[in-house]
Amino acid sequence: MTINLKNKQELIEKFGKDSKDSGSIEVQVAMLSQKISELTEHLKSNKKDTQAKRGLLMMVGRRKRMLAYLKNVNLEKYRKLIKDLNLRG
């Protein structure tokens, strides 16, 4: 349930400032979103996996906090990221 290296590099290139920028908030949110979608698919077939469910909820909370931080720091980047990741309906 981890992101493979190819997908990780694609996310870094798309959302980062350069090819080695894995620490920016946009890249972190994009990677978390990818992990959340993979874990959601896992939980559709494994409904009783409570540890995965707990991990999913923790990841969603972490992404929510990161997005709140980004919203307070730079509203334009926040709106662009929400639109690119197709998060808020």
Side-chain angles (χ1 to χ4, degrees):
M1 282 184 247
T2 59
I3 301 175
N4 62 20
L5 189 60
K6 182 180 176 187
N7 289 343
K8 188 174 182 180
Q9 281 300 104
E10 289 174 2
L11 288 173
I12 291 172
E13 289 173 7
K14 184 175 181 183
F15 294 103
K17 296 176 185 87
D18 58 12
S19 64
K20 295 186 179 189
D21 179 28
S22 63
S24 69
I25 195 77
E26 295 93 350
V27 174
Q28 290 182 35
V29 170
M31 284 189 205
L32 268 177
S33 296
Q34 180 69 29
K35 286 182 184 179
I36 287 170
S37 65
E38 289 175 4
L39 202 51
T40 302
E41 291 300 317
H42 167 77
L43 283 172
K44 285 181 182 176
S45 61
N46 302 295
K47 296 184 187 311
K48 294 187 178 184
D49 191 354
T50 57
Q51 290 300 311
K53 189 174 185 179
R54 181 177 185 270
L56 175 68
L57 292 174
M58 288 172 42
M59 282 186 227
V60 170
R62 187 178 309 135
R63 182 178 70 180
K64 183 179 177 181
R65 287 191 303 271
M66 286 182 183
L67 286 172
Y69 167 78
L70 185 61
K71 186 177 181 181
N72 288 334
V73 172
N74 193 336
L75 188 61
E76 287 302 316
K77 283 186 181 180
Y78 168 79
R79 288 182 178 155
K80 184 179 182 310
L81 185 64
I82 293 296
K83 184 179 177 187
D84 290 344
L85 292 175
N86 198 15
L87 289 180
R88 306 246 195 276

